[in-house]
Amino acid sequence: AQSVTQLGSHVSVSEGALVLLRCNYSSSVPPYLFWYVQYPNQGLQLLLKYTSAATLVKGINGFEAEFKKSETSFHLTKPSAHMSDAAEYFCAVSDNFGNEKLTFGTGTRLTIIP
Amino acid sequence: DAGVTQSPTHLIKTRGQQVTLRCSPKSGHDTVSWYQQALGQGPQFIFQYYEEEERQRGNFPDRFSGHQFPNYSSELNVNALLLGDSALYLCASSLEDRATDTQYFGPGTRLTVL
């Protein structure tokens, strides 16, 4: 079964600094990988997804992620943090296709320091 | 274009009671998935419905059941509520056409069991 591990349950960065949120996956087949963001008291919003096309994936709000098969990683980055980026971020992997069961990590809470 | 909607927003029940949560998928979507998100955790897959049938199921007891209607909307029923059922219940919709590979989430229903 697929699984994801998010390293760091809390990450704090200064406004304008690089954001790096880590995600490692375990999968016996080529995975479909996703990053979702959750703002307080809201549902999940898709940031970006990897579906076996380009390994560098660009998403919304200036975020991007790189699929590295050799490292089984799919880390999320943003060059310059903004106060509005403060939220909970979840990495997820799909068993087969993106519209089937998603297995989520435990999440990383991102805090932006003014 | 209406997104995924869920009702009610909040719900308070007591142990042993039964609850029904409702979800209307994004316009044009035909597949509905349900997830449970306990406080401080990532969402966990409960089950998925397509063509009014349960297609996939996660590791949840039979107390959790669902239904999908001809208009693709869905209900999640939980019987004999336990304190541990307190969580945010998220509905996600998608298209069976796997080329889309994306699930869209609703805002969730916050269930509190006392």
Side-chain angles (χ1 to χ4, degrees), chain B residues 18-110:
Chain B
Q18 178 265 343
V19 69
T20 298
L21 311 182
R22 295 176 177 82
C23 171
S24 291
K26 181 178 170 65
S27 178
H29 283 186
D30 56 9
T31 302
V32 173
S33 302
W34 286 92
Y35 293 81
Q36 180 196 67
Q37 185 179 16
L39 197 62
Q41 300 296 316
Q44 291 198 337
F45 177 79
I46 303 175
F47 43 53
Q48 184 180 79
Y49 277 83
Y50 172 67
E51 291 189 336
E52 302 180 48
E53 291 190 357
E54 183 183 292
R55 180 163 68 174
Q56 278 188 296
R57 189 178 182 91
N59 188 27
F60 279 81
D62 293 344
R63 297 187 298 109
F64 290 77
S65 63
H67 187 77
Q68 185 180 33
F69 300 92
N71 67 353
Y72 308 120
S73 66
S74 177
E75 289 182 348
L76 164 64
N77 301 290
V78 187
N79 294 321
L81 285 167
L82 304 174
L83 295 178
D85 295 332
S86 294
L88 179 68
Y89 287 85
L90 296 165
C91 170
S93 74
S94 56
L95 267 174
E96 169 61 12
D97 175 4
R98 292 169 173 177
T100 62
D101 292 329
T102 299
Q103 293 185 37
Y104 292 85
F105 283 79
T109 294
R110 173 81 55 191

Side-chain angles (χ1 to χ4, degrees), chain A residues 36-96:
Chain A
Y36 281 88
V37 61
Q38 186 175 37
Y39 297 100
N41 301 313
Q42 294 188 25
L44 301 174
Q45 180 182 9
L46 179 69
L47 277 177
L48 49 79
K49 62 184 179 183
Y50 168 77
T51 57
S52 72
T55 56
L56 181 62
V57 181
K58 294 187 182 298
I60 62 171
N61 301 337
F63 285 94
E64 63 181 35
E66 186 172 8
F67 173 73
K68 293 186 176 181
K69 183 178 179 180
S70 61
E71 299 177 9
T72 61
S73 68
F74 190 57
H75 302 331
L76 181 71
T77 60
K78 182 174 180 177
S80 177
H82 191 272
M83 294 301 294
S84 61
D85 294 329
E88 187 92 20
Y89 291 79
F90 293 95
C91 181
V93 63
S94 172
D95 278 2
N96 290 301

Side-chain angles (χ1 to χ4, degrees), chain A residues 10-55:
Chain A
H10 292 83
V11 171
S12 296
V13 301
S14 297
E15 189 175 15
L18 171 70
V19 175
L20 171 60
L21 304 183
R22 300 178 186 273
C23 173
N24 287 90
Y25 69 90
S26 173
S27 175
S28 57
V29 297
Y32 281 53
L33 293 161
F34 305 81
W35 276 98
Y36 281 88
V37 61
Q38 186 175 37
Y39 297 100
N41 301 313
Q42 294 188 25
L44 301 174
Q45 180 182 9
L46 179 69
L47 277 177
L48 49 79
K49 62 184 179 183
Y50 168 77
T51 57
S52 72
T55 56

